[in-house]
DNA sequence: GTAATTTTTGAATCTAAGTTAGAGTCATTT
DNA sequence: AAATGACTCTAACTTAGATTCAAAAATTAC
């Protein structure tokens, strides 16, 4: 069988005009609104303007599709938060403020991917959860590093378990996707969350001179 | 004559009373570990030592069963938190400490019902979600009342949106069910959460005399 | 143009799960 | 002993949804 492995012929990649991306977008949207339990391949395909079998040209299975969408969401959140932390400079309080804002904005503002991952990452069958482990760990690394820096510089409140505090803060931010409605401005959520997190995490700044 | 309906006498007959509770326990357990998406009537029945149809003697449908378990969980959390708030007396800081502790202990310590509701309440089909609305609202009323008292007494940080702050705090507590493992002591989670919430929510106490 | 390849589909298969129907067992009552 | 009602079973029905597959449409290469 001489297979004419001359596939992948030429200019544009073999994919259709963004069909794959459209499927991912639709998946993220359905996941973020209906939740994993009520997300079906059939409905995703229908919304994307396709019949269910067409999905299998781009993804090996439903789990693959969902995992790809959630992974993209987790990476998006991590990138935004990491970028915000990096841009904030050496001041850890400023860094935490920036990370809180970045997390909330990407989660509440625009991206169905971000909402999809925060709402569904922990409610997904094991096969998918495993694939998300690395992405999730990378995201937590960003927070861990900043809080470790804060601890070593003596800014954290005494008696605060840094790991537990991190999980609580991330939890508060993640849970926002469950209750946020556009009737509340994102700005006010950001402002309140920043105040809460900063005051909760850090030693009160010394009003007078040195430590 | 179709068949000799003299099949074998089933040995394990009526467990009678307690079966309904056992079904609820099992449902709460499966919900809290696998999540709603992976919870099936069939498996719940099997773990409870029954065949699926037997469930219908106690509950009208799968939705009914799940709603009953989640409702019980939500009421349990509300009762514990309300009792803690009531027992704490007039000091709002003390009340918030007590509510944080009560919430975390019932969620992390013993009750599969509490974990089930915090993990699944927002990931359930609309028919069930509606039934949970009242329970959830009653729970939030407890927090709302205490924070309103704190605000009217001038203890809350300035510029803090009380509603947003409440949702963030409750979110941090709820999310704990997602990451907690027995390797961490509940005590340390409680202590860190109390510190975080109290410092985040309240004006720093005046070290010297009066306000 | 035709051939090759990519993309999509209709139709069928397969599986898991919720549900219904009807009958059997048991403890208790009368 | 007969009757009743509570409880559970087996068997079958039904549906929804994921998946497979061969073939049609659309696109691209030559």
């Amino acid at each position: 069988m001489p297979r004419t492995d001359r596939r992948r012929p030429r200019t544009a990649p073999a994919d259709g005009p963004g069909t794959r991306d459209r499927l991912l977008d639709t998946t993220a949207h359905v996941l973020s609104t209906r939740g994993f339990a009520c997300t079906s391949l059939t409905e995703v395909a229908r919304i994307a303007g396709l019949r269910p079998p067409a999905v299998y040209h781009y993804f090996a299975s439903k789990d693959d599709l969902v995992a790809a969408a959630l992974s993209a969401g987790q990476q998006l959140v991590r990138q935004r938060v990491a970028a915000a932390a990096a841009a904030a400079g050496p001041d850890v309080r400023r860094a935490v403020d920036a990370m809180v804002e970045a997390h909330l904005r990407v989660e509440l503002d625009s991206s169905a991917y971000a909402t999809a991952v925060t709402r569904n990452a922990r409610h997904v069958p094991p096969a998918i959860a495993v694939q998300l482990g690395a992405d999730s760990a990378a995201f937590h690394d960003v927070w861990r590093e900043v809080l470790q820096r804060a601890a070593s510089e003596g800014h954290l409140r005494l008696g605060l378990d840094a790991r537990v505090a991190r999980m609580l803060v991330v939890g508060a931010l993640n849970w926002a996707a469950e209750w946020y409605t556009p009737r509340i401005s994102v700005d006010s959520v950001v402002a309140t969350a920043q105040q809460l997190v900063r005051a909760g995490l850090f030693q009160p700044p010394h009003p007078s001179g040195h430590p």
Side-chain angles (χ1 to χ4, degrees), chain A residues 71-143:
Chain A
S71 180
Q74 183 68 80
Q75 288 179 40
L76 179 66
V77 175
R78 180 188 61 81
Q79 283 165 9
R80 295 284 182 90
V81 172
D91 184 326
V92 286
R93 287 162 214 253
R94 208 179 298 254
V96 165
D97 269 358
M99 292 163 77
V100 168
E101 172 163 20
H103 191 131
L104 287 173
R105 289 208 185 278
V106 70
E107 180 185 352
L108 304 181
D109 249 349
S110 47
S111 172
Y113 288 92
T115 311
V117 72
T118 54
R119 287 204 61 196
N120 295 289
R122 307 279 164 175
H123 295 262
V124 126
I128 303 177
V130 169
Q131 293 190 51
L132 282 174
D135 297 317
S136 175
F139 163 75
H140 276 279
D141 284 345
V142 181
W143 274 98

Side-chain angles (χ1 to χ4, degrees), chain A residues 108 179-186:
Chain A
L108 304 181
W179 52 264
Y180 175 78
T181 88
R183 291 186 42 222
I184 315 172
S185 83
V186 179

